[in-house]
Amino acid sequence: LAKTTQPISMDSYEGQEVNITCSHNNIATNDYITWYQQFPSQGPRFIIQGYKTKVTNEVASLFIPADRKSSTLSLPRVSLSDTAVYYCLVISYNTDKLIFGTGTRLQVFP
Amino acid sequence: GAVVSQHPSWVICKSGTSVKIECRSLDFQATTMFWYRQFPKQSLMLMATSNEGSKATYEQGVEKDKFLINHASLTLSTLTVTSAHPEDSSFYICSVKPRDRGSDTQYFGPGTRLTVL
């Protein structure tokens, strides 16, 4: 299972765009990238998933370069309610196991 | 998305007692269910994987006789913490993988806070 590395914490202000980068140098051909958000005392919530290039949904965008050794979660115009821990996971199509890293603790200030 | 519930949301028990936590998928059938444990300020740690119709597969270091998992149906999995001790106090979270869906996304329950006195 590919190991991921992401910043421990990030700070931002309301209305700004936040980009959280995750490194996954050992990603395999069949692996895809998934991001989850977790608030205190809640289960993780699925945000976005992608394999390559760019994926966008109503809450975020995911940018994956051609070599797929990293990915960037982009949160447009964050608000205070986006304060949470964001986990980047690399998932193999052949296994259901999710290995959570340390995550990135995002703090949004007014 | 998908809706996953857990019951109870929190529980306090005395040391030595057993506690059962339920995980239900409310709007789909789940081929596979997972149980995680999360200590304060730490990440989620996978405890075990439960597949429909078969025994759970436990991760290294997780005692199967202490953490009993029963995948009772395609919509229900239970985790029983037997003879709980204070060190078992943690946040227990289940996740499910929907059956017959195009995505491999897993969906998480809201978690159960266990406090053992």
Side-chain angles (χ1 to χ4, degrees):
Chain A
L1 298 172
K3 180 180 177 180
T4 60
T5 303
Q6 49 184 125
I8 296 295
S9 64
M10 293 182 68
D11 292 336
S12 181
Y13 291 94
E14 281 190 295
Q16 290 187 334
E17 177 184 79
V18 171
N19 296 307
I20 305 174
T21 297
C22 177
S23 296
H24 27 79
N25 292 317
N26 297 322
I27 191 169
T29 303
N30 290 333
D31 293 344
Y32 51 98
I33 299 143
T34 304
W35 286 79
Y36 283 88
Q37 174 193 55
Q38 186 182 28
F39 297 112
S41 297
Q42 295 186 30
R45 183 176 76 102
F46 171 82
I47 300 176
I48 199 165
Q49 179 177 279
Y51 184 80
K52 61 180 179 181
T53 63
K54 176 183 176 181
V55 180
T56 297
N57 61 24
E58 62 275 9
V59 296
S61 294
L62 178 59
F63 299 93
I64 306 169
D67 65 4
R68 303 200 327 122
K69 294 184 182 299
S70 67
S71 60
T72 299
L73 174 72
S74 181
L75 304 173
R77 298 179 298 280
V78 294
S79 63
L80 295 176
S81 62
D82 293 316
T83 294
V85 178
Y86 292 83
Y87 293 99
C88 163
L89 291 91
V90 172
I91 305 171
S92 173
Y93 183 79
N94 297 321
T95 178
D96 296 321
K97 287 189 178 183
L98 298 185
I99 306 300
F100 283 81
T102 58
T104 297
R105 189 172 299 274
L106 173 65
Q107 179 69 54
V108 179
F109 294 96
Chain B
V3 181
V4 181
S5 70
Q6 284 185 236
H7 177 79
S9 56
W10 60 269
V11 56
I12 301 173
C13 69
K14 292 181 179 180
S15 183
T17 61
S18 295
V19 175
K20 179 184 286 188
I21 302 171
E22 293 185 348
C23 175
R24 291 182 185 273
S25 57
L26 301 182
D27 57 352
F28 60 91
Q29 292 182 329
T31 306
T32 308
M33 293 184 173
F34 306 86
W35 286 97
Y36 295 81
R37 181 167 52 181
Q38 186 175 33
F39 293 107
K41 303 295 184 183
Q42 294 187 23
S43 187
L44 285 79
M45 294 295 294
L46 179 65
M47 299 175 66
T49 302
S50 175
N51 293 298
E52 173 207 356
S54 63
K55 292 184 179 180
T57 304
Y58 291 81
E59 295 300 301
Q60 190 173 5
V62 178
E63 301 174 55
K64 63 179 182 180
D65 294 330
K66 181 171 183 60
F67 299 98
L68 302 179
I69 292 173
N70 182 19
H71 198 136
S73 71
L74 287 174
T75 60
L76 173 64
S77 175
T78 60
L79 168 68
T80 301
V81 183
T82 62
S83 186
H85 291 283
E87 57 266 30
D88 298 322
S89 297
S90 187
F91 193 52
Y92 292 86
I93 311 170
C94 71
S95 74
V96 301
K97 180 180 176 181
R99 183 183 188 184
D100 298 329
R101 284 203 179 182
S103 169
D104 286 298
T105 303
Q106 291 185 26
Y107 299 93
F108 287 81
T112 296
R113 175 78 57 192
L114 170 63
T115 302
V116 185
L117 302 177

